[in-house]
Amino acid sequence: MNNPFIELGIRHDIVNAISELGFENPTPIQEQSIPVLLTGSNDFVGLAQTGTGKTAAFGLPLLELLDFEENHPQALVLCPTRELCLQITNDINNYAKKMNNVHVVAVYGGASISDQLRQIRRGVQIVVATPGRMLDIINRKAIDFSQVKYVVLDEADEMLNMGFQEDIDNILSTTPDEKKTWLFSATMPAEVRRIAKKYMDNPFELTMGTKNTGNQNIEHEYYVVRARDKYAAFKRIVDNNPEIFGIVFCRTKIETQEIAEALIKDGYNADSLHGDLSQQQRDKVMKRYRERSLQLLIATDVAARGIDVNDVTHVINYSLPDEIENYTHRSGRTARAGKTGVSISIVNSKELGKIRQIERVIGKKFVKAEIPTGFDVCEKQLFALVHKVHNVEVNESQIEQYIPRIMDEFAELSKEEVIKRFASLEFNRFLEYYQNAPDLNAPADDFRSREGAQGDRFNRDGMRSEYTRLFINLGSVDEFSRGELLGYICNNAKISGRNVGKIDVKGVYSFFEVVNADVDNVMNNFKGIDFKGRPVRIEISGEGVSSNRGGGGGRREGGYQKREGGYRGDRREGGERREKSFAGAGANSNGGGFRDFSGKRREERPERRRRF
Ligand code: AMP
């Protein structure tokens, strides 16, 4: 069978190069845009997130369409940041690895202009540029765009957010009228619509997913905590995800720095990325993050633009962004290249309205999650350690010499004893830290009046009174996330997701709320349902739940409830202390202007941006 890229019209030498990069099948955006762009006769608007494979979607057609025997600029790719500029240049060079005489130059601020001018003078066909430096070079009359056939505006919404509208106008005015313009954007606010209208003639429009909708592989969760508990809650979420590889977003540079410093002090593998760092410092942080020697990158919106790192497991909104569109950009840093990811927001009860607004814009519901108890975290960490020990690669030749001494040391202990002691090494540390850990979820009283104002009523347990809490004997050990459990419940119970409330996934079981009117449907439709050969059990939560459940889960829930009494009031995690120093910083916005990567402040803001 032919390679699917050949069937799309891509030639062999390019297909061979991308096969070496591991591209076996086109991504949806590549499948749909490549045949259109290869005609070379259309303007094009593609609504697509980063991470969907859009670089190849425009890069491969450019390599097909340009004449590489000619050494003058034929294509110009404009993008918002230096990082993205380098990434695109690198990607196109990789696709062209087996072609001759392909010259791509990266033009961006914060680096030597003379090197860039030298490369341009030597002859280039594809210029990939950030707008500020490009305009500088145009003003020096150092480049001739009179024979440009294709202009790509990548991450157009970001470029407008950063105030590049005027620069783009000036740059495009030096290119011929007959050129074709291909625009890619993650969101489609009115400003992007306007530039599409201005530069394009009846463009072919492609929407991956619904308009303004983020990547469907992202699960959106929010936690409601009191402001003073925010840092402690954040740490607990991180501890509850031992394999996290995340980007944490703050609103201000000060907050970014403070959080990173506090995390480092608390023994986490974290660092910050913000506009006050020199380019060299930024590169160093990004290199460590890319190589995974950093687990948590704490960043501002502006600094994180264009970050292109695969396998980010979590995006954490330590503070919600000022503009709703930025939420889409933030969350788009996870779930790249078909993977799944979680976007977490830690909010206080006053910010619930913002969550509802974001839900409306992205067209997806958030799942309300509970800050795990100290006990949950200890359990998670224990099993992470157990899996690590189980999967560790043993260096037989190196360890062999020590085995007799090790065996000697353990001679008196049974296998069970030895295992217990190894597991206790980490477990004890977490147990000690989380002993008397408080419940960090904001009490329902805090947000009752706010959510209640939107139609929900709460009973004495803080639960919406038209909902019933149910127990199900499936949980994270069955590899259910909240979103997956929601889908599983709705499919089997034949009820709408809108009628399911809070979902709390535990280890071997979970709880979920369902509107009272659907309780019978759930109970009846789950009768006789098996999960991997095990009967699925649903019960109404309450006294009956703990006595009926049996097994490890039942014992644990008992222990947990007992502890919870002890947790209240005793705040050991330092949440109060830290939050005090963050107050004030958090309330600040990004100062009314934007900085680009050269540190230049850009005061112009497109007037109509969606703010909370
Ligand atoms: P992009 O949206 O262009 O930044 O691409 C996101 C990631 O997906 C990059 O790491 C690409 O190398 C990768 N990628 C793009 N297209 C494909 C494909 N067809 N198959 C596998 N990986 C791809």
Side-chain angles (χ1 to χ4, degrees):
M1 205 187 79
N2 252 346
N3 180 298
F5 284 100
I6 301 263
E7 282 170 10
L8 285 180
I10 305 294
R11 46 198 254 207
H12 277 96
D13 46 0
I14 300 178
V15 170
N16 286 344
I18 61 174
S19 296
E20 285 176 15
L21 298 176
F23 293 17
E24 285 170 10
N25 291 299
T27 64
I29 188 162
Q30 291 162 2
E31 199 161 32
Q32 295 190 52
S33 60
I34 289 174
V36 179
L37 298 181
L38 275 182
T39 66
S41 53
N42 286 305
D43 284 332
F44 177 90
V45 175
L47 192 55
Q49 294 282 313
T50 102
T52 50
K54 67 185 163 54
T55 315
F58 65 76
L60 302 183
L62 284 183
L63 290 177
E64 288 289 336
L65 290 166
L66 305 188
D67 178 358
F68 292 101
E69 285 178 5
E70 298 284 332
N71 276 333
H72 54 77
Q74 299 165 49
L76 167 64
V77 180
L78 287 178
C79 61
T81 64
R82 170 188 196 271
E83 277 75 12
L84 190 58
C85 175
L86 286 168
Q87 181 73 41
I88 295 171
T89 308
N90 189 38
D91 286 354
I92 297 180
N93 275 324
N94 280 335
Y95 311 152
K97 212 163 61 186
K98 297 189 192 289
M99 293 169 69
N100 290 325
N101 201 41
V102 175
H103 299 292
V104 190
V105 63
V107 165
Y108 52 91
S112 153
I113 195 166
S114 45
D115 283 353
Q116 294 170 3
L117 291 172
R118 202 169 312 123
Q119 287 185 59
I120 292 168
R121 272 197 301 273
R122 256 191 252 139
V124 298
Q125 298 101 358
I126 304 177
V127 179
V128 184
T130 54
R133 175 58 63 89
M134 191 70 259
L135 199 58
D136 194 351
I137 288 178
I138 289 173
N139 289 339
R140 291 170 186 234
K141 307 218 179 321
I143 198 156
D144 173 14
F145 280 152
S146 64
Q147 296 187 66
V148 161
K149 293 201 173 90
Y150 304 98
V151 168
V152 180
L153 302 176
D154 194 19
E155 301 209 352
D157 49 352
E158 281 291 298
M159 287 200 281
L160 295 182
N161 269 342
M162 292 170 81
F164 283 132
Q165 169 79 66
E166 208 180 313
D167 291 358
I168 295 172
D169 284 343
N170 290 331
I171 294 166
L172 294 195
S173 69
T174 67
T175 60
D177 288 347
E178 319 76 69
K179 67 171 180 288
K180 297 298 167 208
T181 306
W182 304 344
L183 178 149
F184 290 84
S185 191
T187 58
M188 193 51 73
E191 298 84 18
V192 177
R193 277 254 153 258
R194 266 204 299 277
I195 66 162
K197 217 166 146 194
K198 185 165 168 188
Y199 297 124
M200 292 182 203
D201 182 24
N202 195 19
F204 184 95
E205 291 201 21
L206 186 64
T207 302
M208 305 310 295
T210 43
K211 281 184 187 150
N212 284 335
T213 298
N215 182 332
Q216 292 303 311
N217 288 343
I218 304 172
E219 241 180 64
H220 301 267
E221 294 181 350
Y222 70 101
Y223 293 84
V224 189
V225 301
R226 287 187 159 155
R228 63 166 185 256
D229 291 331
K230 194 161 159 185
Y231 178 70
F234 162 62
K235 281 203 304 181
R236 216 185 271 182
I237 294 168
V238 171
D239 286 346
N240 202 43
N241 290 282
E243 303 301 328
I244 193 168
F245 178 55
I247 303 182
V248 181
F249 282 94
C250 298
R251 255 199 316 241
T252 64
K253 279 177 255 178
I254 298 170
E255 193 182 42
T256 306
Q257 240 164 344
E258 285 199 320
I259 299 278
E261 277 165 22
L263 284 173
I264 294 165
K265 212 149 74 194
D266 288 340
Y268 292 82
N269 192 359
D271 210 339
S272 58
L273 188 76
H274 56 76
D276 279 355
L277 301 181
S278 68
Q279 191 60 54
Q280 217 179 1
Q281 287 169 314
R282 267 201 297 260
D283 288 347
K284 213 162 130 198
V285 174
M286 277 315 296
K287 184 164 182 285
R288 287 174 60 214
Y289 188 61
R290 257 185 243 287
E291 288 170 352
R292 285 175 166 260
S293 35
L294 267 187
Q295 205 177 7
L296 294 170
L297 181 70
I298 324 296
T300 55
D301 287 289
V302 177
R305 281 187 178 136
I307 287 184
D308 172 49
V309 177
N310 283 343
D311 300 325
V312 171
T313 58
H314 291 74
V315 161
I316 300 186
N317 295 284
Y318 189 82
S319 300
L320 287 175
D322 285 335
E323 270 107 28
I324 299 180
E325 265 80 21
N326 273 344
Y327 180 84
T328 313
H329 288 294
R330 288 179 174 191
S331 55
R333 303 290 155 211
T334 182
R336 296 170 59 78
K339 310 246 171 59
T340 55
V342 186
S343 175
I344 286 175
S345 299
I346 308 173
V347 298
N348 62 52
S349 55
K350 292 188 194 126
E351 294 174 305
L352 287 170
K354 293 185 182 179
I355 295 290
R356 303 288 164 247
Q357 280 186 53
I358 297 172
E359 283 180 334
R360 278 195 290 276
V361 171
I362 66 171
K364 206 166 171 196
K365 257 188 106 50
F366 277 58
V367 176
K368 181 176 183 307
E370 297 277 312
I371 300 286
T373 63
F375 197 84
D376 288 337
V377 175
C378 294
E379 186 186 276
K380 249 317 187 12
Q381 289 286 345
L382 174 64
F383 283 99
L385 174 73
V386 169
H387 289 312
K388 231 189 212 162
V389 171
H390 187 257
N391 297 332
V392 73
E393 225 172 278
V394 176
N395 186 332
E396 299 284 357
S397 62
Q398 289 296 318
I399 194 108
E400 204 175 1
Q401 54 186 316
Y402 303 109
I403 293 294
R405 266 165 68 195
I406 297 173
M407 292 311 245
D408 235 24
E409 178 93 25
F410 290 135
E412 303 294 307
L413 302 174
S414 67
K415 176 182 168 189
E416 201 189 351
E417 270 301 322
V418 174
I419 292 175
K420 256 196 250 172
R421 283 170 197 226
F422 269 104
S424 297
L425 268 179
E426 272 293 284
F427 190 50
N428 287 352
R429 192 166 66 83
F430 275 92
L431 267 186
E432 194 188 331
Y433 181 74
Y434 278 110
Q435 203 178 29
N436 301 324
D439 178 0
L440 296 176
N441 295 289
D445 279 359
D446 272 16
F447 54 97
R448 176 176 311 171
S449 53
R450 297 175 204 285
E451 294 245 292
Q454 290 165 24
D456 289 341
R457 290 186 310 279
F458 292 81
N459 63 21
R460 269 189 307 142
D461 303 321
M463 209 169 69
R464 283 162 286 185
S465 55
E466 70 269 35
Y467 283 77
T468 299
R469 185 166 148 100
L470 299 179
F471 159 87
I472 183 166
N473 62 338
L474 299 174
S476 61
V477 294
D478 305 298
E479 299 189 346
F480 277 104
S481 65
R482 286 189 192 88
E484 285 159 348
L485 190 61
L486 174 67
Y488 181 79
I489 291 165
C490 293
N491 280 342
N492 286 292
K494 300 184 180 51
I495 62 171
S496 154
R498 268 186 308 227
N499 292 353
V500 179
K502 220 157 60 183
I503 298 178
D504 197 3
V505 177
K506 304 280 188 189
V508 292
Y509 61 93
S510 306
F511 293 105
F512 62 99
E513 292 175 0
V514 66
V515 292
N516 294 341
D518 266 336
V519 172
D520 286 347
N521 283 336
V522 175
M523 303 298 262
N524 291 333
N525 289 333
F526 262 101
K527 272 190 193 135
I529 301 267
D530 272 13
F531 180 80
K532 296 188 178 161
R534 204 155 33 97
V536 175
R537 217 151 32 87
I538 308 248
E539 291 161 15
I540 293 178
S541 165
E543 288 300 317
V545 174
S546 36
S547 56
N548 287 342
R549 196 176 314 127
R555 278 197 304 279
R556 221 201 60 174
E557 179 79 347
Y560 156 72
Q561 279 167 353
K562 230 192 265 153
R563 270 163 182 277
E564 189 151 69
Y567 287 173
R568 291 228 162 85
D570 178 2
R571 304 189 179 276
R572 289 191 74 220
E573 288 171 303
E576 280 162 314
R577 179 178 57 77
R578 289 250 30 109
E579 195 57 41
K580 252 181 224 141
S581 57
F582 295 146
N588 222 340
S589 84
N590 54 11
F594 295 85
R595 277 178 202 281
D596 65 15
F597 277 94
S598 57
K600 201 163 105 195
R601 186 170 278 282
R602 305 193 155 267
E603 293 298 340
E604 325 97 286
R605 277 162 175 257
E607 342 74 86
R608 265 203 282 139
R609 292 159 81 209
R610 217 177 325 210
R611 294 177 68 88
F612 289 114

